[in-house]
Amino acid sequence: PRLAGENKYAQLSAVAAIPVVLYSVWRLLQDPAPTRGTKSRTQLHYGPADRRRRKSVDGDDFPPPYPNGWYFLCASKDIGVGCLRSFFITGRELVAFRNAEGEVGVVSAFCAHQGVHIGHGGFVDGDGVRCPYHHWKFGTDGKLQHIPQLEDGGARDCDRDRNHLKSFPVTEDSRLIFFWVHADGEDPLAPALSASFLRPIKDAKLSWAASLRMEDFHMHVMEPSHNTVDWYHFKTVHHLLAAHWLNKLAPLYATYETKQARAMIYGSKNDNGSPVTDPQLLVFDQRVLSVKLFDHIALPSTFIPKVQQTSFCGPQNMATHLEIPVVGQFLMLLLMVPIAPFRTEMQLHAYSEKWWARPVAHILLWALRATLTQDREIWENKIMHKTRNSIKGDWSWTMYDKWLRQFYSPSSLTWSDDLSW
């Protein structure tokens, strides 16, 4: 009788959880930040003049705006064979194209001849791209290949370094295209993205499920990775699921378990006990311990991920690996691209283990969006202290700063550089 009673209670809990989950999904589609006073969420955003003021307050400066590393360019489907597209990323004018062999090239947008923007009227021709003005042809490596107005095609001119375009290393994996940016021209660090940051996609045989483009965040791109040192904010900013912390009608309350981040520069180890070998990675372990309805009724553990691990590849790329009972494994990517100082594009992509779990991947994307929006108000309105006032129990900010510094080099653009025309 006792066992039967427990089973009946479990069944009733599961049935009662259905409307709660449906309501929570509906909440995910709303902006988690409520209206406060006479200012809406949108009106709280600052303008360009305020952004310039925020880079330095009382001598406290943010890191330079564009760290070195891999940056998300676009989805593979967005650049088909023969396609040429223009981009403005990390303060740079770039063009990307896919030649007849299917190779993707990312090069400086301005022709080495007379400075014409290749993305405006240029076109793909065979294994390269031509400038619209005089049809100079450049390869995916940026090297000049052909000058049509010269009888020999300009063989001599094609050997001159000054006639080449600056090119950027490209990698294409899991339906996504990334390119490498380094202010001093250093080659990409090993291991490759597919062998480290994106490895869970192949190890768990995940396939693409969903994508979502958020509004641009007016923040420094390092802010999300900066959260890996701050365990206590999970108790304040994120204790409500998919809702602002001032929201009095939020139905779901969560508790978390977090561990200090791991990195090669910290001398940390992987889950299997081997040393972390990718210098770019920062691994943060967190787990949802419980979810309660109105902070009183615990939801069944079926809805709670039993594995949750977040990895950063540089401050601009974040991957969260989830495993949910019955439903399977998921990988959620947050790919951040700083277009200009304090303006960061936010792209979300989800991969699922089972094809029928794709609707769950969509829900998880909206959940991640809501979680990021919880932090947004803070990220967009803070300064960066050089010396933090640490207290007992705080994790090491010094270790995080040490990890972050490796993504800057002597030629990284600084706040004193004029980034305008």
Side-chain angles (χ1 to χ4, degrees):
R2 178 184 173 187
L3 183 60
E6 292 178 351
N7 290 337
K8 185 177 180 180
Y9 173 76
Q11 293 173 358
L12 291 174
S13 299
V15 172
I18 293 176
V20 174
V21 172
L22 292 177
Y23 174 70
S24 301
V25 171
W26 177 80
R27 285 293 308 165
L28 290 174
L29 302 179
Q30 313 303 313
D31 189 338
T35 299
R36 291 182 290 284
T38 59
K39 291 186 176 182
S40 69
R41 181 67 179 83
T42 303
Q43 290 171 325
L44 286 173
H45 291 178
Y46 291 141
D50 295 302
R51 291 289 140 216
R52 187 177 299 277
R53 175 180 58 80
R54 279 188 53 245
K55 71 185 181 186
S56 179
V57 178
D58 296 331
D60 291 331
D61 292 340
F62 278 89
Y66 309 123
N68 298 323
W70 288 107
Y71 283 92
F72 171 67
L73 183 70
C74 63
S76 297
K77 64 181 179 62
D78 292 333
I79 300 185
V81 173
C83 180
L84 169 66
R85 297 191 63 184
S86 302
F87 294 88
F88 183 76
I89 297 177
T90 65
R92 298 169 172 87
E93 295 270 5
L94 306 172
V95 292
F97 64 95
R98 193 185 295 272
N99 65 19
E101 284 74 38
E103 300 171 331
V104 176
V106 176
V107 298
S108 174
F110 302 106
C111 181
H113 185 205
Q114 292 193 22
V116 173
H117 196 299
I118 297 174
H120 293 273
F123 57 94
V124 177
D125 179 16
D127 62 348
V129 63
R130 288 194 183 272
C131 171
Y133 213 30
H134 299 96
H135 286 195
W136 283 28
K137 182 180 178 181
F138 302 90
T140 56
D141 58 0
K143 292 184 177 181
L144 179 62
Q145 295 180 339
H146 183 253
I147 301 176
Q149 71 190 69
L150 301 179
E151 292 184 1
D152 62 350
R156 182 177 178 182
D157 294 280
C158 289
D159 289 334
R160 294 176 176 169
D161 291 341
R162 69 184 186 188
N163 290 334
H164 302 325
L165 302 179
K166 180 176 176 56
S167 64
F168 300 83
V170 176
T171 185
E172 189 170 6
D173 193 279
S174 304
R175 296 190 177 191
L176 306 174
I177 299 175
F178 296 83
F179 72 104
W180 173 264
V181 173
H182 196 285
D184 289 279
E186 293 185 12
D187 293 333
L189 299 174
L193 284 178
S194 59
S196 180
F197 179 67
L198 299 176
R199 184 172 178 175
I201 295 176
K202 290 184 170 57
D203 287 352
K205 298 180 179 179
L206 308 180
S207 59
W208 176 88
S211 296
L212 176 66
R213 167 73 184 273
M214 298 182 66
E215 293 180 359
D216 294 349
F217 276 30
H218 295 282
M219 66 172 191
H220 194 287
V221 72
M222 51 78 69
E223 295 292 1
S225 63
H226 198 248
N227 271 10
T228 60
V229 195
D230 189 358
W231 64 272
Y232 194 79
H233 91 286
F234 284 94
K235 295 178 177 289
T236 55
V237 176
H238 300 302
H239 74 292
L240 295 180
L241 287 183
H244 192 275
W245 56 87
L246 297 180
N247 194 319
K248 303 301 182 182
L249 301 177
L252 300 179
Y253 289 67
T255 57
Y256 303 88
E257 178 187 62
T258 57
K259 298 180 181 179
Q260 282 195 330
R262 294 175 287 160
M264 175 180 170
I265 203 167
Y266 301 171
S268 306
K269 294 185 178 180
N270 292 310
D271 296 331
N272 59 10
S274 63
V276 176
T277 57
D278 187 346
Q280 302 175 90
L281 282 188
L282 182 66
V283 182
F284 179 60
D285 296 291
Q286 64 184 89
R287 187 164 64 94
V288 178
L289 294 179
S290 66
V291 178
K292 293 183 179 180
L293 178 62
F294 299 113
D295 205 20
H296 289 291
I297 304 173
L299 297 185
S301 59
T302 305
F303 300 102
I304 301 176
K306 68 176 184 179
V307 173
Q308 185 172 347
Q309 186 177 86
T310 297
S311 300
F312 286 88
C313 181
Q316 68 274 14
N317 301 308
M318 185 186 92
T320 298
H321 185 200
L322 300 171
E323 184 176 346
I324 303 176
V326 181
V327 186
Q329 298 186 58
F330 300 85
L331 189 73
M332 323 299 293
L333 297 180
L334 166 61
L335 305 176
M336 297 167 281
V337 181
I339 306 172
F342 292 107
R343 184 182 172 190
T344 302
E345 280 190 358
M346 309 286 280
Q347 297 261 2
L348 305 178
H349 302 271
Y351 296 79
S352 63
E353 182 180 5
K354 300 179 175 71
W355 66 267
W356 53 264
R358 289 185 177 181
V360 178
H362 280 267
I363 295 174
L364 291 174
L365 270 193
W366 283 103
L368 178 56
R369 171 191 176 273
T371 301
L372 294 168
T373 307
Q374 287 176 315
D375 286 293
R376 181 178 183 177
E377 186 174 351
I378 294 172
W379 288 340
E380 292 187 340
N381 297 282
K382 60 177 291 193
I383 62 173
M384 183 73 174
H385 284 311
K386 287 183 179 179
T387 303
R388 300 175 182 86
N389 298 315
S390 299
I391 62 172
K392 183 178 180 180
D394 281 352
W395 289 346
S396 176
W397 300 101
T398 302
M399 295 298 288
Y400 171 80
D401 292 340
K402 186 178 180 181
W403 174 79
L404 184 65
R405 278 196 298 270
Q406 67 179 316
F407 300 105
Y408 295 99
S409 55
S411 298
S412 292
L413 291 175
T414 66
W415 297 114
S416 62
D417 292 321
D418 183 6
L419 305 179
S420 62
W421 283 93

